[in-house]
Amino acid sequence: MKALKAIAWENGKLSLLNQTLLPVQKQTVTCHTYDEVAEAIKTMVVRGAPAIGVTAAYGLVLAARSCAHENRPMMNTLLQRAKSVLRQTRPTAVNLFWALDRMEKIWLDNPDSPVSELKKMLEAEAIAIDEEDLARNKSIGRHGSELIPAGANILTHCNAGALATAGYGTALGVIRAAHADNKKIHVYADETRPLLQGARLTAWELLEDNIPVTLITDSMAGYLMGQKKIDLIIVGADRIAANGDVANKIGTYSVAVLADYHRIPFYVAAPLSTFDLSIATGNEIPIEQRQHEEIRKINGVTVAPENVKVYNPAFDVTPALLITAIITDHGILKPPYAQCISALAGLNQCYTEKKGCTP
Ligand code: MRU
């Protein structure tokens, strides 16, 4: 079976699988400009922390390619403008800022390179970010599979799969690896209201790979835990603070509290690009607030009074003390997290300099 790829860069063209339409329609959107890339991230044509980072990196390549003159100052201004537009798309996933900062390093470190040369360097860097993410996810999968007992029933929330990354996935990477290791696992996917990433994306992605999956509504998770139907939980992350607090899709915190009450292991899977060493705790993570229509409607169908007040935070923060382990591409981190996370800093150049990561 061909590996699922949400982001494709081919011959200078960026194609994104439109995740707002899945699983009903399988359509791709082609982006020609960085503005189109920004719009695709904002409207969640592409979503998931690592996928947003990879896409934004290609957005800067498109910006560079649009510079028609051999004029470095002009090119630098254009790239800074594009970077600032891309930074303002979604605030929570740190991978976006990480990837943009990594791309910026190329033009800042090479002030004398001609425009034509810089274009090639930026493209090579975006491809490296893309390919590295895939490799990191496979490594997360290898490490994480060791934690999965044979026959495990695994609960996951949102979509931290191939669709949310350069491929293979983080939480679903662990699930894919355990399945490949013939552990005969079974997955429960939370539907993940309001945008149903669990129902629309995780369920679809796992079925495509013949991994046994059962869909539940978010409100059923506690009941299933009480019935001893869940052996462990694995989720992805949008940003991990220096103390191990984790921002992830809204509803993750509730699942972690339920897991703690029922004494069920709660694992987070994430690559190094998701760690933000510039912030001490999860309290500093900016939480995206989204449109009210996402709650009043499901797939465009009104399900609430049109004038009802709505609150729609897209993410929540799970405190480190509720997390059994964090599965990274560099191995499994166990509590207390502060020390092992700071040891990772040396491997993640962007954040050793304690750069700010908010838009
Ligand atoms: O709003 P989304 O769909 O971008 O949120 C995605 C998540 O919360 C994922 O769990 C997270 O980005 C990890 S993806 C590997």
Side-chain angles (χ1 to χ4, degrees):
M1 182 181 297
K2 201 163 177 274
L4 180 57
K5 198 85 180 109
I7 307 159
W9 175 259
E10 264 164 18
N11 307 321
K13 258 183 37 187
L14 180 66
S15 308
L16 304 170
L17 186 56
N18 187 345
Q19 300 191 34
T20 66
L21 302 178
L22 287 171
V24 181
Q25 287 177 56
K26 223 176 146 189
Q27 258 180 34
T28 53
V29 169
T30 305
C31 296
H32 307 91
T33 65
Y34 71 83
D35 280 318
E36 288 175 1
V37 172
E39 193 57 21
I41 296 173
K42 243 190 235 167
T43 55
M44 295 176 68
V45 162
V46 62
R47 33 65 54 200
I52 295 171
V54 171
T55 305
Y58 285 124
L60 286 178
V61 179
L62 290 173
R65 289 168 76 102
S66 72
C67 185
H69 308 284
E70 264 305 329
N71 180 330
R72 258 312 288 266
M74 204 189 260
M75 172 79 143
N76 290 359
T77 308
L78 174 62
L79 287 169
Q80 286 302 346
R81 195 186 321 131
K83 183 181 177 225
S84 139
V85 168
L86 289 161
R87 275 177 85 85
Q88 278 155 45
T89 49
R90 297 194 70 192
T92 303
V94 75
N95 314 62
L96 171 71
F97 309 103
W98 173 86
L100 290 171
D101 287 348
R102 188 167 149 179
M103 293 292 285
E104 183 187 45
K105 208 167 174 322
I106 300 293
W107 72 82
L108 294 183
D109 286 356
N110 297 282
D112 302 322
S113 299
V115 166
S116 53
E117 204 48 46
L118 188 58
K119 286 182 185 176
K120 286 186 201 144
M121 283 192 269
L122 287 169
E123 181 175 14
E125 190 69 357
I127 291 170
I129 290 172
D130 189 348
E131 290 177 353
E132 281 170 25
D133 187 62
L134 180 60
R136 284 175 196 277
N137 294 336
K138 293 201 168 155
S139 173
I140 288 172
R142 277 192 299 277
H143 290 298
S145 179
E146 289 170 21
L147 296 170
I148 312 295
N153 282 290
I154 304 170
L155 176 70
T156 190
H157 189 74
C158 194
N159 173 268
L163 291 167
T165 61
Y168 202 69
T170 56
L172 294 197
V174 174
I175 285 166
R176 278 199 166 86
H179 179 73
D181 291 343
N182 205 19
K183 295 211 171 164
K184 310 260 183 257
I185 52 159
H186 165 262
V187 179
Y188 284 103
D190 273 349
E191 67 171 350
T192 320
R193 267 289 279 155
L195 294 184
L196 302 172
Q197 288 93 331
R200 296 187 304 102
L201 309 177
T202 295
W204 179 74
E205 204 183 306
L206 293 178
L207 286 177
E208 288 280 294
D209 269 6
N210 292 319
I211 298 175
V213 58
T214 303
L215 179 63
I216 60 170
T217 68
D218 302 338
S219 49
M220 293 171 189
Y223 174 72
L224 264 74
M225 290 186 210
Q227 297 286 304
K228 304 206 179 310
K229 287 188 186 297
I230 291 170
D231 300 302
L232 61 108
I233 292 127
I234 313 180
V235 296
D238 287 85
R239 196 186 292 227
I240 304 178
N243 71 342
D245 291 350
V246 168
N248 192 49
K249 179 52 57 196
I250 191 78
T252 302
Y253 171 52
S254 319
V255 174
V257 171
L258 284 167
D260 185 53
Y261 179 80
H262 290 98
R263 309 237 185 293
I264 298 171
F266 181 92
Y267 299 117
V268 172
L272 282 197
S273 52
T274 307
F275 288 80
D276 183 354
L277 277 291
S278 73
I279 59 167
T281 76
N283 293 336
E284 295 167 60
I285 300 176
I287 300 295
E288 178 181 9
Q289 302 293 324
R290 292 192 58 88
Q291 287 168 14
H292 296 176
E293 289 305 280
E294 290 179 355
I295 307 277
R296 292 197 197 105
K297 294 183 175 175
I298 298 180
N299 265 347
V301 177
T302 299
V303 293
E306 279 179 8
N307 55 350
V308 69
K309 266 205 319 209
V310 163
Y311 181 48
N312 187 14
F315 300 94
D316 58 27
V317 175
T318 299
L321 66 88
L322 295 179
I323 300 167
T324 313
I326 303 177
I327 307 159
T328 77
D329 41 319
H330 285 268
I332 296 167
L333 312 184
K334 293 267 174 65
Y337 294 110
Q339 216 178 333
C340 44
I341 289 178
S342 83
L344 288 179
L347 303 166
N348 192 4
Q349 282 308 316
C350 262
Y351 294 110
T352 51
E353 294 151 30
K354 297 220 182 273
K355 278 193 178 174
C357 296
T358 37

